[in-house]
């Protein structure tokens, strides 16, 4: 705990706390935890360890359990982790959440100003609303989702989505996780009851990072920041929301117990005082010309703003005038959304290129006759994936409609069929990686095709190398992402074996290195020249083969040499080797396909050859706690068991360190005979392999759910 506000070392047990003391401590815990949340989530500069943080939350919980009526509206227990039981409760807005009238053309904007002027008759009013001088607040129109936040006595009591404007959903628990939504209003001069309204949104950078994370995890991507924000807010688990980079701008309000401003501008200033973010680009304009100038200025800046906007909103600044203008149908007469033109344009699709991502995913990219969409030159657009091309029937030579959706990556919306030339060429999605030439495979049910080139593929190499050196793989200290990328770019480590051939003398002279760090890295590398088989397998970064699967493989094959031989046999199409692989509980068809794909590539085998000259891969050793009479034994099940299913039996045997095989051979140690065992029993008898009935098997395996017998170690 460095510099953190430390809690009293000898904390009083909660049961010893008097009511007042408990209330006081809950208040201080709320403030303290909120501060650590802010440090952690927004400033990425936590001051205390996770354990200390958890201790604070636990103490808060314990005290709350003892004094449930003292639970504060801003309690940390309600901030993160309080998941609504199922779905979200409905909330009826006391004042409906209105929508806005839209305008696209300047003429419509001028009509709006004329309409406001014509609404009034009295000369003193007319002086205020003349088109050339009326005070209008102009604000960027954020492309997020609108919400209402009800504060009672300065405390956030309820947060709800707009819904249909009349009824929304209670997403309080999720909104409480946003740092830009104060749990308590700052200052004192707020109405006892006020509903603040505004937009929840995700910045472009946060959106990109989130999607990158999702891509790496193989999860579906969000189409744009708006969808990402909406999806993140409508999470049943607020902890998920808490991890998403959501922000909030306040720009309106609903019910209020007292009037707190005379103009919209003043209201925004109050929001700021109360602890909200208000869009700093909002500007008070005088007259329609200034308002239009603001629109053009914002339109030009649009691409450079950190968030997506889809227009600007004009609001009559004087609240008395707003009140008199009132509303038409569901929109106020005092406001207008001036939207940016739909950013679509047609152009020629010259070609389709394939981009290879860090994780090996192949993404089709449209190469376009350059055109301007939304003020930006576009020459490439995403086609998402193989199926999208077919679904939209996109062919090379087509005229396509391009869209910049919410300012993100341009997309192909559709083809213009009547402009299709006779020689338009359907696109054949490649089954080889365009970067390295390796097979690109698409697993059943997957939308994405992936390159199997792994370490060999330059598009993936840096990422794979990072994985290779990372904690769960080779665990090379001092070889983190930054250095990997640096050394890879400078061609010092183009493949993993080169890590072991780094010349410290060459490193020492590099900028930012020096003798000592070169020597240290060399030592850290040398320390890893002996590596357990499971770590080694994990390090190779074969798609789908992570730590857990690597362990399964290591346990089954035990030695690197055997594993490699078996994989190569399977890759060469030997059915038995493949069957033995699939025999491993936890290895399915698609994992097997990835393994086989890896070994089918000559350059992957070359990388293994190179690594072999540098390393010693250690045989797998069954961890002591699984040492059982079955460890290391090869076992075959045949016939039906009554106490457990075949898959449970296999899993159990493997958990005890046994290899489960499907056919009886001279290498089989035990054959477990269930009911109607069939030919395998005969085979066992013929080869003299020991057989076990179900009872004997259960004795060896331990009853399902019970601890296995620990007598006898492997080899003993
Ligand atoms: S004012 C009665 N101001 O646009 C006024 N809305 O098309 C209510 N929006 O539902 C809205 N930025 O989600 C207002 N500065 C802004 C806005 C804004 C974005 C959204 C909001 C609203 C939608 C209406």
């Amino acid at each position: 705990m460095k510099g953190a506000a430390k809690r009293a070392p000898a904390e009083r047990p909660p049961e010893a706390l008097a009511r007042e003391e408990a209330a006081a401590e809950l208040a201080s815990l709320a403030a303290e935890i909120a501060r650590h949340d802010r440090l952690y989530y927004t400033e990425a500069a936590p001051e205390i360890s996770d354990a200390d943080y958890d201790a604070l939350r636990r103490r808060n919980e314990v005290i709350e359990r003892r004094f449930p009526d003292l639970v504060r509206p801003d309690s940390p227990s309600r901030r993160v982790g309080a998941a609504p039981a199922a779905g979200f409760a409905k909330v009826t807005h006391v004042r409906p959440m209105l929508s806005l009238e839209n305008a696209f053309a300047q003429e419509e904007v001028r009509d709006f100003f004329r309409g406001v002027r014509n609404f009034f008759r009295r000369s003193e009013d007319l002086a205020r609303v003349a088109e050339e001088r009326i005070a209008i607040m102009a604000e960027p129109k954020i492309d997020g989702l609108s919400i209402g936040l009800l504060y009672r006595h300065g405390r956030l009591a309820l947060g709800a989505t707009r819904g249909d404007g009349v009824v929304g959903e209670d997403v309080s628990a999720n909104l409480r996780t946003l740092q830009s939504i104060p749990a308590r209003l700052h200052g004192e001069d707020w109405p006892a009851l006020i509903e603040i309204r505004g937009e929840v949104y995700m910045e472009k950078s946060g959106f990109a990072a989130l999607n990158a994370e999702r891509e790496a995890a193989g999860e579906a991507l969000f189409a744009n920041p708006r969808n990402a924000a909406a999806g993140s807010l409508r999470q049943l688990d607020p902890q998920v929301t808490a991890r998403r980079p959501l922000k909030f701008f306040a720009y309106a309000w609903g019910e209020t117990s007292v009037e707190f401003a005379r103009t919209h501008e003043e209201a925004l200033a109050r929001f700021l005082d109360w602890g909200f973010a208000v869009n700093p680009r909002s500007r008070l304009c005088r007259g329609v010309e200034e308002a239009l100038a603001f629109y053009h200025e914002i339109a030009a800046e649009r691409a450079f703003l950190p968030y997506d906007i889809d227009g600007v909103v004009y609001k009559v600044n004087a609240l008395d005038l707003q009140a008199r203008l009132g509303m038409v149908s569901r929109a106020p007469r005092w406001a207008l959304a001036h939207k940016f033109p739909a950013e679509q344009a047609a152009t020629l699709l010259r070609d389709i290129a394939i981009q290879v991502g860090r994780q090996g995913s192949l993404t089709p990219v449209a190469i376009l006759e350059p055109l301007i969409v939304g003020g930006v030159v576009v020459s490439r657009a995403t086609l998402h994936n193989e199926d999208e091309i077919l679904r939209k029937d996109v062919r090379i030579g087509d005229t396509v409609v391009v869209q910049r959706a919410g300012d993100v990556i341009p997309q192909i919306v559709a083809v213009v069929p009547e402009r299709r030339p006779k020689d338009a060429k359907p696109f054949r999605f490649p089954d080889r990686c365009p970067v390295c030439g390796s097979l690109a495979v698409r697993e059943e049910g997957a939308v994405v095709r992936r390159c199997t080139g792994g370490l060999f593929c330059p598009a993936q190499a840096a990422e794979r190398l990072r994985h290779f050196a990372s904690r769960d793989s080779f665990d090379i200290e001092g070889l983190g992402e930054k250095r990997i990328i640096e050394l890879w770019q400078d061609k010092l480590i183009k493949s993993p074996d080169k890590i072991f051939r780094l010349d410290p003398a060459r490193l020492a002279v590099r900028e930012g290195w020096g003798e000592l760090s070169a020597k240290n890295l060399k030592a850290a590398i040398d320390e890893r020249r002996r590596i357990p088989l499971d770590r080694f397998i994990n390090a190779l970064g074969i798609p789908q083969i992570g730590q857990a699967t690597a362990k399964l493989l290591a346990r089954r094959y035990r030695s690197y040499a055997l594993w490699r031989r078996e994989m190569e046999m399977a890759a060469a199409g030997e059915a038995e080797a493949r069957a033995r692989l699939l025999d491993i509980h936890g290895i399915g068809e698609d994992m097997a396909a990835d393994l086989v794909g890896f070994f089918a590539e000559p350059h992957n085998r070359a990388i293994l050859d190179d690594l072999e000259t540098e390393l010693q891969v250690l045989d797998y050793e069954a961890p002591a706690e699984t040492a059982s009479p079955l460890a290391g034994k090869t076992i075959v099940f045949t016939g039906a068991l009554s106490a457990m299913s075949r898959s449970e039996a296999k899993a159990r045997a493997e958990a005890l360190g046994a290899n489960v095989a499907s056919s009886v051979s001279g290498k089989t140690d035990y054959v477990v005979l269930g009911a109607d065992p069939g030919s395998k029993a005969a085979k066992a008898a013929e080869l003299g392999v020991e057989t076990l009935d179900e009872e004997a098997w259960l004795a060896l395996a331990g009853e399902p759910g019970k601890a296995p017998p620990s007598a006898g170690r492997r080899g003993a």
Side-chain angles (χ1 to χ4, degrees):
M1 269 211 216
K2 41 177 172 22
K6 273 202 178 170
R7 302 188 56 72
E11 272 171 342
R12 309 250 321 273
E15 31 320 335
L17 292 177
R19 217 184 138 69
E20 293 79 354
E21 292 172 304
E25 196 177 346
L26 287 178
S28 82
L29 278 166
E32 201 177 341
I33 291 170
R35 191 174 82 88
H36 290 306
D37 283 344
R38 196 192 68 237
L39 289 169
Y40 182 86
Y41 287 116
T42 41
E43 298 177 31
E47 283 179 356
I48 59 173
S49 69
D50 288 358
D52 287 341
Y53 175 81
D54 289 342
L56 290 180
R57 291 193 76 110
R58 262 198 312 279
R59 179 150 177 98
N60 188 70
E61 258 172 51
V62 173
I63 300 176
E64 283 185 351
R65 255 205 305 280
R66 209 166 107 72
F67 298 101
D69 58 327
L70 291 184
V71 174
R72 305 162 57 84
D74 64 344
S75 161
S77 63
R78 305 178 66 165
R79 214 168 225 283
V80 184
F88 300 101
K90 297 272 180 273
V91 176
T92 303
H93 301 297
V94 175
R95 283 214 215 163
M97 291 181 78
L98 304 178
S99 55
L100 293 171
E101 191 66 43
N102 286 331
F104 286 94
Q106 288 206 6
E107 210 30 57
E108 297 171 84
V109 178
R110 294 182 193 282
D111 284 346
F112 165 74
F113 278 81
R114 266 194 292 275
V116 170
R117 193 240 348 215
N118 290 340
F119 189 83
F120 297 99
R121 281 285 169 280
R122 292 207 305 258
S123 61
E124 67 268 33
D125 293 331
L126 286 175
R128 295 170 72 198
V129 296
E131 288 116 287
E132 66 282 1
R133 55 173 312 180
I134 181 170
I136 290 283
M137 199 68 198
E139 302 169 352
K141 186 173 185 298
I142 310 287
D143 206 2
L145 53 148
S146 52
I147 56 148
L149 302 165
L150 188 67
Y151 287 83
R152 285 187 219 278
H153 302 292
R155 291 168 183 195
L156 179 56
L158 176 71
T161 59
R162 176 176 184 276
D164 61 4
V166 179
V167 177
E169 284 176 323
D170 178 351
V171 287
S172 308
N174 293 344
L175 288 170
R176 283 177 200 280
T177 69
L178 268 69
Q179 296 303 321
S180 45
I181 293 180
R184 304 192 63 153
L185 297 180
H186 302 183
E188 316 231 284
D189 55 345
W190 22 258
L193 183 129
I194 172 129
E195 188 202 350
I196 304 287
R197 292 176 177 175
E199 203 86 349
V200 168
Y201 65 98
M202 195 180 284
E203 290 197 345
K204 296 173 192 172
S205 58
F207 163 74
L210 175 62
N211 257 359
E213 235 174 66
R214 293 176 70 86
E215 206 213 326
E219 292 166 345
L221 301 188
F222 288 114
N224 53 48
R226 209 204 87 82
N227 287 359
S232 301
L233 194 58
R234 295 194 77 265
Q235 288 288 332
L236 287 180
D237 180 358
Q239 307 225 32
V240 176
T241 308
R243 288 193 296 269
R244 302 282 172 82
L246 293 177
K247 295 197 160 190
F248 176 74
F249 272 137
Y251 56 61
W253 63 99
E255 58 169 337
T256 171
S257 52
V258 290
E259 278 166 19
F260 56 92
R262 286 176 308 122
T263 62
H264 188 75
E265 187 187 27
E266 260 178 55
L268 295 181
R270 307 306 298 281
F271 293 172
L272 262 183
D273 295 342
W274 297 340
F276 293 99
V278 168
N279 195 315
R281 291 179 196 257
S282 302
R283 184 187 301 160
L284 188 68
C285 299
R286 290 263 163 201
V288 62
E289 299 308 329
E290 263 185 51
L292 288 172
F294 176 83
Y295 171 86
H296 291 298
E297 189 183 313
I298 291 290
E301 269 182 71
R302 180 178 185 190
F304 308 104
L305 293 176
Y307 40 76
D308 279 346
I309 58 172
D310 57 352
V312 303
V313 182
Y314 306 125
K315 299 172 181 174
V316 170
N317 193 38
L319 300 185
D320 62 322
L321 295 179
Q322 281 191 11
R324 285 162 66 192
L325 282 159
M327 50 189 258
V328 240
S329 67
R330 309 271 318 274
R333 208 180 266 115
W334 47 266
L336 180 75
H338 189 181
K339 304 266 285 229
F340 295 134
E343 294 179 286
Q344 287 197 344
T347 192
L348 177 72
L349 176 74
R350 282 190 187 154
D351 200 358
I352 295 177
I354 299 289
Q355 224 164 42
V356 186
R358 287 212 311 175
Q359 310 281 334
S361 51
L362 270 54
T363 306
V365 178
I367 307 297
L368 305 168
E369 186 67 39
L371 78 165
I372 293 179
V373 190
V376 174
V377 178
V378 171
S379 55
R380 296 158 77 87
T382 181
L383 280 160
H384 300 289
N385 56 54
E386 211 164 335
D387 294 347
E388 277 294 293
I389 299 180
L390 291 174
R391 201 172 62 76
K392 293 180 179 147
D393 188 21
V394 177
R395 303 185 190 181
I396 296 166
D398 268 340
T399 293
V400 292
V401 177
V402 180
Q403 171 174 291
R404 279 182 66 226
D407 252 5
V408 285
I409 317 162
Q411 307 173 320
I412 301 293
V413 183
V415 303
V416 185
E418 54 281 10
R419 306 254 299 259
R420 168 168 290 167
K422 279 205 185 62
D423 59 349
K425 222 169 70 212
F427 180 68
R428 254 201 69 232
F429 206 91
D431 56 5
R432 294 213 159 253
C433 171
V435 177
C436 73
S438 305
L439 261 185
V441 296
R442 184 173 166 185
E443 268 118 37
E444 230 175 273
V447 280
V448 185
R449 190 174 281 277
R450 280 180 198 280
C451 165
T452 56
L455 289 161
F456 172 81
C457 180
Q460 302 169 67
E463 167 63 15
R464 295 298 177 97
L465 285 167
R466 187 200 59 73
H467 171 78
F468 186 88
S470 70
R471 177 105 60 88
D472 296 329
S473 304
F474 270 78
D475 191 20
I476 300 173
E477 210 179 309
L479 201 52
E481 178 158 19
K482 255 178 65 190
R483 278 196 171 162
I484 288 272
I485 291 177
E486 173 197 330
L487 297 177
W488 186 77
Q489 280 173 346
D490 292 353
K491 301 196 166 54
L492 286 175
I493 44 171
K494 283 183 71 183
S495 56
D497 56 295
K498 301 290 187 301
I499 291 176
F500 299 93
R501 296 186 192 147
L502 277 173
D503 176 1
R506 277 188 71 185
L507 290 179
V509 296
R510 293 177 63 84
E511 208 184 300
W513 281 75
E515 293 274 344
L516 187 64
S517 46
K519 209 181 101 214
N520 286 344
L521 179 60
K522 181 74 184 151
I525 290 169
D526 285 341
E527 225 174 88
R528 295 291 184 255
R529 285 181 189 267
R530 288 159 54 85
I531 182 168
L533 177 58
D534 56 325
R535 273 180 181 268
F536 180 79
I537 296 175
N538 181 41
L540 296 176
I542 302 168
Q544 302 198 75
I545 311 301
Q547 244 181 313
T549 314
K551 271 216 169 66
L552 295 178
L553 292 165
R555 191 164 65 203
R556 164 56 60 93
Y557 297 102
R558 297 201 166 254
S559 79
Y560 167 71
L562 178 61
W563 176 61
R564 181 167 178 183
R565 195 160 63 238
E566 287 277 310
M567 295 303 102
E568 288 184 358
M569 279 160 63
E574 282 194 29
E576 283 184 18
R578 196 186 163 84
R580 283 192 290 272
L581 175 59
L582 284 167
D583 225 33
I584 303 174
H585 188 79
I587 302 260
E589 286 286 352
D590 47 349
M591 281 184 184
D594 276 334
L595 278 163
V596 164
F598 180 87
F599 278 89
E601 288 297 333
H603 49 249
N604 286 336
R605 299 200 298 271
I607 282 172
L608 291 177
D609 292 343
D610 289 337
L611 282 170
E612 283 171 25
T613 67
E614 299 294 330
L615 300 173
Q616 187 191 355
V617 183
L618 307 173
D619 286 358
Y620 180 80
E621 285 199 41
E625 59 270 36
T626 69
S628 104
L630 289 174
K633 296 287 178 348
T634 297
I635 189 165
V636 172
F637 291 95
T638 179
L641 299 174
S642 60
M644 51 178 93
S645 70
R646 176 68 63 85
S647 30
E648 186 184 355
K650 279 180 85 172
R652 182 134 194 94
E654 282 173 347
L656 295 171
N659 301 317
V660 180
S662 52
S663 57
V664 180
S665 75
K667 291 190 208 140
T668 310
D669 294 296
Y670 300 111
V671 175
V672 177
L673 303 178
D676 306 321
S679 66
K680 285 178 193 163
K683 186 82 183 271
E686 181 192 319
L687 295 173
V689 175
E690 187 172 340
T691 59
L692 305 170
D693 58 13
E694 183 166 359
E695 208 174 309
W697 149 248
L698 286 175
L700 274 181
E703 297 283 332
K706 286 197 191 151
S710 56
R713 296 208 152 211
R714 182 157 64 100

